[in-house]
Amino acid sequence: FRERAAQTDAGATEVDAVAAAIRGLSIAMALLALLFAALLVGLAVGVLRGSRAARVMTWIVCGLGVLCGCCGVLGSVSQATVTSLSSGDVDAQTAEQLGRALREAYPGWWLATGGGLSGLQLLGYIAIAVLLALPAANAFFRIPAPPAGQPPAT
C-alpha cells in the first residue's frame, strides 16, 4: 500500500495515518477472531455434554455469526469497489487516490477468498442452527425423567 500511495498526491502523514489504521484494524480483527474461536470451542464442548446453557449461547452466537457472515460478504464487495479513503482533512481527490492505492495493493485473490470464506461461515452457522433445531437435538437436551420405582432420597 505504501508503495502505491507514494505515487499519489497524499502526504507522508496521510499515508502513515491510513497505513496505521489498516494495521490496527488487522491486528484487532485477528485478536477478535482468536477470542471468538476459543468461545466456539467452549460452546462445542458444552453442547456435546448436553448443557442447556451452552445450547442457548450457541443459538445467540449463531445469530451473531450469521450477521457477521453477511457483513463479511458485504465488506468484501465494498472493498472491491471502494473509491476513496478519507482520513481527516484530506481532499476528495487525494482520498480517491488512496482508495485506489489500497484496492490495487491487495492480491487479486484476496477479496474473493475473504468473501468466499465469509459465505462459508454464513452457511456453517445456518447449518448449526438447523442441527440444533432438529427433534433429535431437542431429545438430547431434554432433562431425563427420574427412573421409576426409586425410593425417595432421605
Side-chain angles (χ1 to χ4, degrees):
F1 168 74
R2 287 181 185 276
E3 292 172 8
R4 295 185 190 277
Q7 300 168 2
T8 66
D9 296 337
T13 56
E14 295 160 340
V15 172
D16 288 341
V18 172
I22 293 168
R23 182 181 304 111
L25 184 61
S26 297
I27 291 170
M29 294 304 293
L31 291 174
L32 185 63
L34 286 174
L35 290 173
F36 204 66
L39 172 69
L40 290 175
V41 168
L43 287 175
V45 169
V47 167
L48 285 173
R49 290 184 178 166
S51 168
R52 298 177 117 205
R55 184 182 189 198
V56 170
M57 284 299 300
T58 302
W59 276 106
I60 293 169
V61 169
C62 280
L64 292 173
V66 166
L67 178 66
C68 290
C70 290
C71 290
V73 170
L74 292 175
S76 293
V77 170
S78 69
Q79 279 183 333
T81 60
V82 69
T83 57
S84 70
L85 288 177
S86 180
S87 177
D89 56 341
V90 177
D91 64 7
Q93 180 182 356
T94 304
E96 193 266 324
Q97 290 174 348
L98 287 174
R100 188 177 328 113
L102 178 63
R103 191 173 54 246
E104 292 171 357
Y106 283 111
W109 53 267
W110 182 258
L111 294 176
T113 302
L117 290 174
S118 292
L120 288 175
Q121 171 191 355
L122 178 64
L123 293 175
Y125 283 117
I126 291 171
I128 290 169
V130 167
L131 290 173
L132 283 175
L134 290 175
N138 292 333
F140 179 74
F141 287 99
R142 188 171 296 125
I143 297 175
Q150 287 286 334
T154 56

